[in-house]
Amino acid sequence: MERSQQTVTLISQAQVLEGAKRWHRVAFEELAASLTDPDFPCVFSRNAFRKQLLKFAFVESAGSAGIGHLARALTEYVELSRDWDGRLDTAYPLVVLFSADAVNARTVAEYHSFGWRVLQELHHVDPDPWPEGVGTDPDSETWSMCFHGMPLFCNMSSPAHRNRRSRNLGGHFALVVNPRERFDFFAGETPSGRKVRANIRKRIRAYDGMPHSPQLGSYGVGALEWRQYGLTEENIERSDVCPFRPRISVEKEELLAE
């Protein structure tokens, strides 16, 4: 089974420990410790873990082989997610875990920089066009990371988070990926969605010992998605610029340089 884990891209939660490498096992057990804690703020993640709904991808390196492996896993995940039936029990989150050898980072900012580099490289190898109706500028309220034609939300969690414990899932850098539409479906701008968000943010305050980040918001109504992917340790206003550059912007810059 260990050999198959090295070649299979997307792994189910039920199979994740079968013949797993040591660091896979350690990373999974650390993640499990968070998601089985009754105080962990994200009730959706806890529900998914309890019902063994998580999908996993383990990335060994940050080079082309590692990005290629992740791109194949993400393509498989998007295909799995296309015909979603709207039920919570079929909403499979994807957890991408990176080996310690793949990441050269110590601070939250350095981990976020690594995460954005991964998303940028995934964008470069994505053969599909950017979906219509989704902004290409990260400073647009309608921007979202897209891959294989699907808008996604990518939560960056790192071991450097100390104050914001809810963004620390153990000793390995993690990307927790969900299709954008599922956030809108369960926690969007509806009475029930606002109630869900209020409950989670109340739980964040109790778990982190600090109020939720002021960057958290609802898609398309004032909050920028990219700032919610990687949250800073302090609750401060941010003036940093998103490092993600869509292909269309790069192509325009190259034309202007000619």
Side-chain angles (χ1 to χ4, degrees), residues 128-187:
D128 290 83
W130 204 255
E132 291 185 11
V134 180
T136 57
D137 182 354
D139 285 328
S140 164
E141 294 179 0
T142 62
W143 180 88
S144 179
M145 174 63 188
C146 298
F147 189 83
H148 199 35
M150 178 175 286
L152 303 167
F153 186 89
C154 304
N155 170 318
M156 298 183 189
S157 293
S158 84
H161 277 296
R162 295 292 183 266
N163 298 336
R164 204 172 299 285
R165 294 174 56 220
S166 52
R167 286 292 179 110
N168 184 330
L169 297 176
H172 293 79
F173 180 72
L175 285 175
V176 183
V177 182
N178 283 278
R180 165 77 262 154
E181 66 169 341
R182 295 183 191 171
F183 284 81
D184 302 332
F185 188 89
F186 293 117

Side-chain angles (χ1 to χ4, degrees), residues 207-227:
Y207 189 80
D208 289 351
M210 61 190 295
H212 69 79
S213 169
Q215 275 79 53
L216 291 181
S218 188
Y219 181 70
V221 289
L224 298 180
E225 284 288 282
W226 74 267
R227 285 182 175 161

Side-chain angles (χ1 to χ4, degrees), residues 13-254:
Q13 184 175 335
Q15 297 173 324
V16 73
L17 294 181
E18 295 180 13
K21 291 184 177 181
R22 186 177 185 279
W23 83 262
H24 295 193
R25 183 177 295 274
V26 169
F28 175 81
E29 290 174 348
E30 290 173 342
L31 174 76
S34 292
L35 299 187
T36 54
D37 183 342
D39 295 326
F40 190 76
C42 184
V43 293
F44 296 117
S45 296
R46 292 191 64 245
N47 176 74
F49 185 85
R50 180 173 58 85
K51 296 186 176 180
Q52 293 201 330
L53 301 177
L54 299 183
K55 303 295 182 182
F56 286 86
F58 293 90
V59 182
E60 304 291 338
S61 73
S64 58
I67 295 299
H69 175 84
L70 177 53
R72 291 189 295 275
L74 196 52
T75 299
E76 188 177 343
Y77 177 71
V78 168
E79 288 298 324
L80 174 69
S81 304
R82 285 203 192 279
D83 297 322
W84 182 52
D85 60 10
R87 295 187 299 120
L88 189 59
D89 287 352
T90 56
Y92 306 103
L94 169 63
V95 180
V96 181
L97 291 162
F98 294 80
S99 76
D101 293 336
V103 190
N104 181 20
R106 292 184 179 180
T107 67
V108 170
E110 288 171 347
Y111 275 107
H112 288 171
S113 178
F114 172 80
W116 282 110
R117 181 164 69 84
V118 169
L119 295 184
Q120 188 70 65
E121 292 184 15
L122 284 171
H123 179 54
H124 286 324
V125 301
D126 182 10
D128 290 83
W130 204 255
E132 291 185 11
V134 180
T136 57
D137 182 354
D139 285 328
S140 164
E141 294 179 0
T142 62
W143 180 88
S144 179
M145 174 63 188
C146 298
F147 189 83
H148 199 35
M150 178 175 286
L152 303 167
F153 186 89
C154 304
N155 170 318
M156 298 183 189
S157 293
S158 84
H161 277 296
R162 295 292 183 266
N163 298 336
R164 204 172 299 285
R165 294 174 56 220
S166 52
R167 286 292 179 110
N168 184 330
L169 297 176
H172 293 79
F173 180 72
L175 285 175
V176 183
V177 182
N178 283 278
R180 165 77 262 154
E181 66 169 341
R182 295 183 191 171
F183 284 81
D184 302 332
F185 188 89
F186 293 117
E189 280 300 306
T190 63
S192 62
R194 287 189 288 271
K195 185 176 180 180
V196 166
R197 292 204 310 273
N199 177 51
I200 291 175
R201 290 170 186 179
K202 180 180 178 180
R203 292 172 61 85
I204 288 173
R205 183 170 192 137
Y207 189 80
D208 289 351
M210 61 190 295
H212 69 79
S213 169
Q215 275 79 53
L216 291 181
S218 188
Y219 181 70
V221 289
L224 298 180
E225 284 288 282
W226 74 267
R227 285 182 175 161
Q228 300 179 69
Y229 286 17
L231 299 179
T232 59
E233 282 282 73
E234 300 79 20
N235 286 344
I236 57 175
E237 292 299 320
R238 292 173 60 177
S239 59
D240 50 325
V241 176
C242 181
F244 183 84
R245 300 172 69 211
R247 283 193 300 255
I248 187 170
S249 298
V250 175
E251 291 166 359
K252 285 182 178 179
E253 290 176 7
E254 289 174 349

